């Protein structure tokens, strides 16, 4: 479970919550099947689809040398209807 770094909250990811899709950033070396297994095991949900794309790190200048931050992968996880990730569930009023 240490491969999933954090849940991404952007305008698009908040819109995707309506479709039962959750966005999270993971380490760039993780595979789709590995992440699917950990999400199903840890949260007790059923994953029906996963989309991913690789994001490159930002450039950082350190004096005359140019470096960059680490690359990472963003996963969009689609759950079966009726399932939700408990930490991101809406509050009922």
């Amino acid at each position: 479970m240490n491969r999933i770094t954090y849940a991404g909250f952007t305008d698009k990811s908040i819109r995707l919550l309506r479709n039962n899709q959750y966005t999270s950033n993971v380490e760039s070396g993780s595979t789709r099947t590995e992440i699917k297994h950990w999400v199903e095991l840890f949260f007790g949900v059923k994953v029906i689809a996963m989309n991913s794309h690789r994001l490159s790190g930002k450039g950082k200048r350190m004096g005359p040398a140019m470096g960059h931050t680490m690359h990472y992968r963003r996963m969009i996880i689609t759950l079966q209807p009726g399932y939700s990730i408990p930490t991101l569930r809406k509050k009922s009023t």
Side-chain angles (χ1 to χ4, degrees):
M1 192 61 190
N2 57 357
R3 294 229 181 217
I4 299 175
T5 54
Y6 59 91
F9 290 106
T10 60
D11 292 335
K12 182 178 178 179
S13 67
I14 292 172
R15 281 194 315 262
L16 290 175
L17 287 174
R18 293 185 212 138
N19 300 330
N20 213 18
Q21 295 178 329
Y22 296 88
T23 306
S24 64
N25 293 345
V26 298
E27 291 181 3
S28 61
S30 23
T31 63
R32 295 171 69 155
T33 55
E34 191 176 59
I35 298 300
K36 179 181 177 180
H37 171 72
W38 281 110
V39 167
E40 288 180 344
L41 185 68
F42 187 73
F43 293 112
V45 296
K46 295 289 183 183
V47 176
I48 58 172
M50 293 185 68
N51 296 328
S52 67
H53 59 278
R54 185 176 167 270
L55 299 160
S56 59
K58 295 182 179 179
K60 296 285 184 178
R61 180 167 297 283
M62 293 171 247
M66 186 70 177
H68 60 86
T69 59
M70 294 294 291
H71 304 298
Y72 61 97
R73 178 177 290 206
R74 181 168 291 155
M75 302 292 268
I76 300 174
I77 303 164
T78 306
L79 303 180
Q80 282 186 353
Y83 287 98
S84 66
I85 295 178
T87 57
L88 302 177
R89 203 179 302 162
K90 288 185 193 178
K91 286 186 176 180
S92 58
T93 56

